Amino acid sequence: MQVVKRVLLTITAVFAAVTVSGCLRITADELYSLPQASEEYLKLQDQIASMLNDGAEFSAPVGGPNRQAVQLKDLDGDGESEVLAFFSIPGDSKLKICIFSLVDGDYTVMETIEGVGTAFESVRYADMDGDGIAEIVIGWQMGAALKHMTIYSIKDFHSVLLAEKDYSEITVFLHGGGNSSVVVLRLPSQDSGAVAEMFTLMPDREVVSSEARLSNGIETISRILTGKLLDGAPALFIDSTGGFTDGGLVTDICVYRDGVFSNVSAKSASGVSEDTVRARINSSDVNKDGIIKIPKSRRLQAQSETPYYAIDWYAYNSIGHSSLALTTYHNNFDEWFLILPFDWREKVSVRREDVVSGERTVIFSFIAGDSQYEDFLKVHKIFGEMREERASIPGRVRLLSDGASVYAFEILTEPNSFGLTFSESLIRDNFRLIYSEWLAGTT
């Protein structure tokens, strides 16, 4: 009975999520009725319960984007989702995926993929040749430090192994033309340095691979992003940590062009993407324009011994040339940042002022000369019971609330004074909250 209850809860949760996301149609009358599983889903639950009663256990992938023990995915592009259930067989390190499809009103096991390992490390779905049918990319956890990738074609619900490789990290890269490739990353070994290897499925169903060397000195891969370059080309941005002389983080930028996968940022004889080495701030699409930028900290002229920094964000093109895209000031402690106009560079200083209980304030000042500063902007984080009232003090402009705090600002002089670009609308448009994924080591 406990097994059946677990099955009901697992599958009900999956189908509820799909219903909420809009993948299933539902009428207005059904919205006002108690939720009821269809006869097809009840039969599916019975099949999965039978497998569990025979000794199998649910084995949800432990990593990657898809971590449910029962997943819905339209594998064959017919508009109807297949059901994939992930199991382990205790005692013999066997793992298997059962693929169910709706046939004549019943869910039927169309194919089973089996392997050996301690867990499913991850599973991804990628249409690698643009035929509308998803290939299945499975990461098998083979031990504490060993992971093995397999790519299966599932055309006509007949699984065919296309490629396999050991890996440290794995991702799917949409590199143009509507097709996806699988990229596996491997850390340095005694025999070779760190590499990124791309697997591409050709129209004749042959898999070809191409390797790009990653920076020498990499020790840990902390984050993988896909995004655009300045010229619109898609690229893979790989943030890694290591023992680099100018900082602990490096970004390798890999592109696929003319059938070749290459690292366009590692141009020096050192084999390191030296232009991207920095302190530990991850690359990001910080202003949400689709282009990934590489950050570099720059110390501001200070009014005290406390150091303050701006972050210059650089965008790259397909041959590895960079240009300054924007500059920000990040207040990590108060979880906000401000995009700074370009004409503030070298002309603005920052300091903190936490003298009012329930408020933390950052003051921006124009550098008028040696040891001469003229304040023109205050940004407040206000907390406590009176936060809304204090955000509405005359002269203050309310920005937003995160529930526990209210953010507001004050302009202390006439807009656009000192030859600097600033106004209420500019501050409001350029203010953002900080997200934790920008810190190195997060995913």
Side-chain angles (χ1 to χ4, degrees):
M1 181 59 70
Q2 288 298 113
V3 169
V4 174
K5 285 183 178 179
R6 281 193 293 128
V7 176
L8 287 169
L9 288 172
T10 300
I11 299 180
T12 300
V14 171
F15 284 114
V18 174
T19 302
V20 170
S21 68
C23 297
L24 298 178
R25 293 186 177 89
I26 189 168
T27 67
D29 290 339
E30 289 171 326
L31 286 172
Y32 291 98
S33 64
L34 291 175
Q36 293 181 339
S38 69
E39 183 178 352
E40 293 86 356
Y41 295 155
L42 291 174
K43 291 180 179 179
L44 172 63
Q45 292 167 357
D46 288 342
Q47 290 190 61
I48 293 179
S50 176
M51 295 179 184
L52 296 173
N53 286 329
D54 287 340
E57 294 182 354
F58 279 132
S59 183
V62 297
N66 306 299
R67 302 193 185 190
Q68 302 83 16
V70 179
Q71 300 180 19
L72 298 182
K73 177 66 179 179
D74 181 8
L75 298 174
D76 56 5
D78 66 353
E80 296 288 343
S81 292
E82 278 65 51
V83 178
L84 296 93
F86 295 76
F87 300 102
S88 63
I89 309 300
D92 58 8
S93 298
K94 286 186 178 179
L95 302 168
K96 67 177 181 178
I97 305 171
C98 293
I99 303 173
F100 298 84
S101 185
L102 192 60
V103 178
D104 297 329
D106 286 333
Y107 277 95
T108 302
V109 177
M110 304 298 292
E111 182 60 300
T112 300
I113 300 173
E114 295 185 341
V116 176
T118 60
F120 291 105
E121 190 277 327
S122 61
V123 63
R124 291 168 171 84
Y125 308 97
D127 183 2
M128 296 178 65
D129 59 355
D131 65 353
I133 300 174
E135 280 66 49
I136 302 178
V137 185
I138 306 169
W140 309 84
Q141 190 75 51
M142 309 301 291
L146 179 59
K147 293 182 282 190
H148 189 71
M149 180 272 298
T150 57
I151 304 173
Y152 283 94
S153 167
I154 202 69
K155 192 171 185 178
D156 298 324
F157 295 107
H158 177 61
S159 61
V160 176
L161 179 63
L162 299 175
E164 56 183 326
K165 203 78 172 186
D166 292 341
Y167 69 96
S168 300
E169 301 291 338
I170 190 170
T171 191
V172 172
F173 179 36
L174 183 63
H175 54 75
N179 295 356
S180 297
S181 292
V182 177
V183 178
V184 300
L185 311 179
R186 295 191 296 277
L187 290 173
S189 66
Q190 293 181 346
D191 300 324
S192 65
V195 297
E197 184 174 4
M198 172 183 280
F199 293 86
T200 302
L201 183 59
M202 308 306 289
D204 62 1
R205 310 298 290 171
E206 178 187 2
V207 174
V208 297
S209 68
S210 178
E211 285 189 358
R213 288 290 302 271
L214 302 181
S215 289
N216 292 328
I218 285 174
E219 297 171 0
T220 304
I221 297 166
S222 62
R223 194 176 191 217
I224 307 167
L225 282 179
T226 57
K228 292 181 181 178
L229 296 168
L230 271 173
D231 49 15
L236 198 64
F237 298 79
I238 303 164
D239 289 345
S240 305
T241 58
F244 306 107
T245 56
D246 297 325
L249 188 68
V250 67
T251 298
D252 290 300
I253 304 172
C254 297
V255 302
Y256 182 73
R257 184 174 60 240
D258 299 328
V260 178
F261 188 52
S262 62
N263 183 349
V264 299
S265 56
K267 301 187 293 293
S268 68
S270 68
V272 176
S273 296
E274 292 181 349
D275 194 39
T276 71
V277 175
R278 61 196 184 275
R280 297 193 175 193
I281 306 172
N282 270 331
S283 51
S284 172
D285 179 10
V286 63
N287 61 338
K288 306 300 181 186
D289 64 356
I291 299 172
I292 304 298
K293 291 92 177 171
I294 311 298
K296 287 271 186 121
S297 297
R298 174 171 50 86
R299 186 166 178 171
L300 297 171
Q301 181 173 324
Q303 303 176 45
S304 67
E305 295 182 357
T306 302
Y308 295 92
Y309 297 86
I311 300 176
D312 292 327
W313 298 83
Y314 290 87
Y316 286 73
N317 64 16
S318 295
I319 58 175
H321 291 167
S322 66
S323 61
L324 180 63
L326 72 157
T327 298
T328 61
Y329 169 74
H330 276 61
N331 181 346
N332 293 319
F333 186 65
D334 291 331
E335 301 175 310
W336 61 265
F337 73 96
L338 188 69
I339 299 173
L340 308 182
F342 283 111
D343 59 18
W344 290 25
R345 288 179 62 84
E346 313 300 337
K347 298 179 182 179
V348 170
S349 178
V350 171
R351 74 179 190 275
R352 291 194 66 93
E353 183 180 86
D354 300 340
V355 297
V356 178
S357 178
E359 295 185 13
R360 292 197 292 267
T361 301
V362 170
I363 302 173
F364 292 83
S365 307
F366 171 67
I367 302 171
D370 292 340
S371 301
Q372 295 181 349
Y373 303 90
E374 297 188 40
D375 301 341
F376 67 93
L377 173 67
K378 289 184 177 182
V379 179
H380 307 279
K381 182 175 183 177
I382 310 167
F383 43 93
E385 294 183 359
M386 300 295 291
R387 57 186 179 274
E388 289 289 351
E389 290 81 358
R390 297 196 62 79
S392 301
I393 290 175
R396 293 185 175 182
V397 179
R398 187 185 188 280
L399 285 163
L400 52 84
S401 172
D402 63 9
S405 306
V406 178
Y407 298 87
F409 70 93
E410 297 176 67
I411 291 180
L412 307 177
T413 186
E414 290 296 320
N416 303 323
S417 298
F418 320 119
L420 300 181
T421 303
F422 64 92
S423 63
E424 283 193 10
S425 60
L426 184 143
I427 302 304
R428 193 188 296 275
D429 292 343
N430 286 11
F431 182 85
R432 306 283 194 280
L433 295 184
I434 290 175
Y435 297 98
S436 61
E437 72 259 19
W438 293 335
L439 303 178
T442 60
T443 56

